Amino acid sequence: MNLSYFISKRISREQQQGFASTIHRIAIASIGIGLAASILSFLIMRGFQETVKQKVYGFNGHMVVTKLTMSNSSEERPMNYHVDPYDHPEKYPFVTHMQEFAHKPGLVKTDQDEVLGVFVKGVGKSYDVNAFRSSIVEGKFFDFPDSGYAHQVVVSKIIARKLNAKVGDNIVVHFFQNPIRSRKLTISGIYETNLSEYFDSKVIIGDIRMIQKLNDWSDSLAGGLEVFVKDQGPEKMEEDAFTISEAMDLDFNVQLMSDKYVQVFEWLNLISRQVNILLVIILTVVCVNMISIVLILVMERTQMIGMLKAMGATDKMIRSVFLFNGINLLVKGLVLGNLLGLGLCAIQYYFKIIKLNAHDYYMSFVPISWNWEVVAVLNIVTFFVVTIVLLVPTMVIARINPIRAIRFD
């Protein structure tokens, strides 16, 4: 057996009581609380990012393809959506789905005889209902008939409240065109993304064939295409957007959702930076605590260090004794931190105890994303950083004079 490891185990066994035992508990607690705070911070951060991105991507895809226009009109220029990526998806393996859409502005009269401006987003049979289903809070998504167009729509919870309407009620939408046209539509479902500034306060989802008929478009025309891709990394999505744009005419524009809703994604990046800063602060505090604790343990064992040096032990061997002792405390602290951090995350994940203001945070409770890779990285980083820092306080062992150490009281 390694002599340094053997002595370290004997020291740990003898320090079950008294002052050294208290120091050990403080060390384990500081590491455990630090790791638990890091796990909570990162899993909550990932939860925020994934929840918000899922809502944005589920509503609009990862990128949109539209016709270039110099107009400030809220309606898109009509385009033939049967482009090469749409008709031959096998050539573009990074694309998981493409769906046509079109927007048309309109007015709806509220229950208080006020006028509410809305956008009717027309979608077709290719619409990925499953990507949007998690946002539906009441009713269901409407069915597409084989002929004609669906006379049902899905409205947001905010719009339904303003109209004092519920699932099954009828609303009349007046569309901006010459002459103005109106359509009586039935509410089949109510959605809520909590992104009221971008979607909930103004968007109604309906059948694209209604918009095609109102605009006198053929069945092959739409306002644009929503594109879903496999890899959601920023650099990879930019590369995919460039590949799609190269496959189409020059008058087409491909826009990433991260560029269209730049404020939302900047906010998510800001959260990420803040959490990284928090991790550095936590690691700094843990390292300072461990340096202090190991120094105290060295001072407490000064006579033992003098005896070992007098018997011929090298500084390296004696440093290894305290290094093993510190690593033992570190491992116990990591176990405590994982149990505490993952336990608190599990409680929030299943019971949703901590609530949020949905208007400010785009969700009604603190989300948790179970990313085991992040948990493993946090454990590894904490272990190696603290282990390296433990070498600093053990350097004082080389300065200890064996004769003075034996006489030390």
Side-chain angles (χ1 to χ4, degrees):
M1 179 184 289
N2 185 293
L3 180 59
S4 300
Y5 180 68
F6 174 76
I7 297 174
S8 174
K9 285 188 67 177
R10 289 295 298 269
I11 292 175
S12 299
R13 196 175 302 139
E14 292 174 4
Q15 292 174 337
Q16 297 296 322
Q17 296 178 349
F19 177 72
S21 175
T22 303
I23 293 297
H24 281 198
R25 291 193 183 97
I26 292 173
I28 294 170
S30 65
I31 296 169
I33 293 172
L35 180 61
S38 300
I39 290 174
L40 275 168
S41 301
F42 273 87
L43 295 191
I44 290 173
M45 177 197 72
R46 289 299 182 98
F48 267 109
Q49 292 177 332
E50 290 179 7
T51 301
V52 174
K53 286 180 179 180
Q54 182 182 7
K55 289 182 177 183
V56 173
Y57 294 149
F59 206 93
N60 280 327
H62 297 106
M63 59 189 77
V64 293
V65 180
T66 55
K67 278 268 192 177
L68 283 172
T69 178
M70 300 299 291
S71 171
N72 290 326
S73 173
S74 55
E75 295 186 61
E76 303 90 2
R77 285 179 59 195
M79 58 171 275
N80 188 329
Y81 61 85
H82 287 282
V83 293
D84 191 62
Y86 186 89
D87 291 334
H88 302 95
E90 67 279 359
K91 295 182 182 179
Y92 308 88
F94 57 86
V95 176
T96 59
H97 184 65
M98 296 183 76
Q99 57 196 29
E100 66 276 13
F101 73 93
H103 289 97
K104 193 166 185 64
L107 292 174
V108 183
K109 192 175 181 181
T110 68
D111 190 51
Q112 289 79 28
D113 291 332
E114 296 177 354
V115 176
L116 178 66
V118 297
F119 282 99
V120 177
K121 177 183 178 180
V123 297
K125 291 183 178 180
S126 62
Y127 186 71
D128 187 2
V129 179
N130 291 327
F132 185 70
R133 200 181 301 278
S134 60
S135 297
I136 296 179
V137 293
E138 292 182 44
K140 64 174 185 176
F141 202 88
F142 57 85
D143 297 320
F144 294 94
D146 294 330
S147 60
Y149 62 84
H151 288 76
Q152 293 84 36
V153 290
V154 178
V155 304
S156 71
K157 194 172 182 179
I158 292 176
I159 294 176
R161 186 170 60 248
K162 289 180 179 179
L163 298 177
N164 194 24
K166 58 183 182 301
V167 174
D169 289 352
N170 295 323
I171 60 173
V172 178
V173 183
H174 306 278
F175 293 97
F176 295 141
Q177 58 187 98
N178 191 15
I180 293 178
R181 296 183 183 180
S182 302
R183 291 292 184 270
K184 185 178 181 180
L185 305 168
T186 303
I187 299 175
S188 67
I190 297 175
Y191 75 86
E192 184 180 32
T193 66
N194 292 314
L195 295 164
S196 56
E197 183 180 349
Y198 306 100
F199 308 134
D200 296 44
S201 62
K202 53 190 175 183
V203 179
I204 293 175
I205 302 176
D207 194 333
I208 193 173
R209 288 173 295 182
M210 176 178 66
I211 295 178
Q212 289 172 336
K213 188 172 182 179
L214 289 168
N215 292 341
D216 296 323
W217 292 352
S218 66
D219 293 342
S220 62
L221 295 180
L225 282 170
E226 294 174 344
V227 184
F228 295 82
V229 296
K230 292 179 181 177
D231 193 337
Q232 298 179 16
E235 295 181 359
K236 185 62 171 66
M237 281 203 287
E238 287 185 6
E239 182 183 328
D240 295 342
F242 178 77
T243 303
I244 292 174
S245 64
E246 288 292 298
M248 294 184 292
D249 296 335
L250 295 177
D251 60 343
F252 284 93
N253 177 49
V254 181
Q255 185 180 32
L256 293 170
M257 287 301 101
S258 56
D259 295 330
K260 187 174 182 179
Y261 303 108
V262 63
Q263 289 180 325
V264 175
F265 284 84
E266 280 295 325
W267 176 67
L268 295 177
N269 291 334
L270 178 62
I271 292 175
S272 180
R273 288 195 292 269
Q274 290 174 335
V275 171
N276 289 334
I277 293 172
L278 177 64
L279 175 62
V280 173
I281 294 173
I282 290 172
L283 282 176
T284 302
V285 172
V286 170
C287 290
V288 170
N289 285 342
M290 288 303 297
I291 289 173
S292 302
I293 287 165
V294 172
L295 281 174
I296 292 171
L297 294 177
V298 169
M299 293 296 294
E300 189 185 33
R301 289 283 173 173
T302 302
Q303 287 185 330
M304 183 196 77
I305 294 171
M307 290 290 293
L308 289 173
K309 281 193 172 187
M311 295 171 64
T314 62
D315 290 338
K316 182 179 178 181
M317 193 210 80
I318 301 173
R319 289 179 65 184
S320 298
V321 171
F322 291 94
L323 186 62
F324 282 130
N325 206 348
I327 291 175
N328 178 49
L329 298 176
L330 174 59
V331 171
K332 291 179 180 178
L334 292 179
V335 172
L336 175 64
N338 281 289
L339 291 175
L340 186 61
L342 295 176
L344 291 174
C345 286
I347 292 172
Q348 175 61 23
Y349 181 81
Y350 289 107
F351 300 104
K352 299 176 177 54
I353 294 173
I354 304 176
K355 305 295 182 182
L356 295 174
N357 185 335
H359 178 73
D360 296 328
Y361 295 97
Y362 307 137
M363 59 201 75
S364 57
F365 58 88
V366 174
I368 300 293
S369 173
W370 293 108
N371 192 315
W372 299 109
E373 182 180 344
V374 169
V375 175
V377 169
L378 286 174
N379 278 269
I380 293 170
V381 168
T382 303
F383 180 83
F384 280 104
V385 169
V386 177
T387 300
I388 293 171
V389 168
L390 286 175
L391 296 174
V392 176
T394 57
M395 290 179 180
V396 301
I397 293 172
R399 298 172 177 263
I400 296 177
N401 184 289
I403 298 176
R404 293 180 179 177
I406 294 172
R407 293 175 179 177
F408 181 78
D409 187 2

